[in-house]
Amino acid sequence: MSEQINEQELHAYIGNKTGADAKSIALVLKHAQTFINKAQAGAKGEVDIDSDELVDYVMSRPDVRLTELVVENILDAEMDYLMDKGLAGYID
C-alpha cells in the first residue's frame, strides 16, 4: 500500500463498527501487519492474503486472548475501511 493510513481514524472506525476496545484493536492489527509483511507479493506486486489463515495466525499468538469472532470482526472492519479508502480489495 503506497497510501498513508490514518491509524487513529482506522482504529476509531473499527471501534465504532465492532465495539472492540482500543487495546484489542491495536493487538490484532499489529499481528495482522506482521503476517501481511511476511506474505509474498505476486507478479503484479499484489499480496494475496487468505482471511482464514490470517485469523488463524492472529489467534495463534500467545498474547491474543480474544475470541475468534472478535478477531474476525476487527479484521473485517479493517478490510471495510481499506476498501472504502480504495487501498484494498478482494480478488475474485
Side-chain angles (χ1 to χ4, degrees):
M1 277 180 249
S2 59
E3 298 265 344
Q4 193 72 296
I5 297 172
N6 181 331
E7 294 290 329
Q8 190 172 10
E9 182 180 84
L10 171 62
H11 287 230
Y13 179 92
I14 294 170
N16 288 335
K17 192 160 186 172
T18 66
D21 63 86
K23 185 177 177 183
S24 296
I25 294 168
L27 181 65
V28 170
L29 295 183
K30 175 186 83 165
H31 289 305
Q33 191 60 52
T34 299
F35 181 85
I36 292 166
N37 288 344
K38 292 179 182 179
Q40 299 294 321
K44 296 181 182 178
E46 296 175 343
V47 178
D48 183 19
I49 302 295
D50 181 281
S51 60
D52 291 332
E53 288 177 12
L54 177 56
V55 170
D56 289 345
Y57 175 82
V58 173
M59 292 297 298
S60 73
R61 303 296 89 199
D63 57 343
V64 175
R65 292 176 182 83
L66 304 168
T67 66
E68 187 171 339
L69 182 59
V70 170
V71 171
E72 286 177 356
N73 288 341
I74 290 171
L75 294 172
D76 287 346
E78 177 194 29
M79 188 62 170
D80 290 344
Y81 174 87
L82 295 174
M83 287 176 36
D84 288 349
K85 298 292 183 181
L87 300 172
Y90 290 105
I91 298 175
D92 294 329

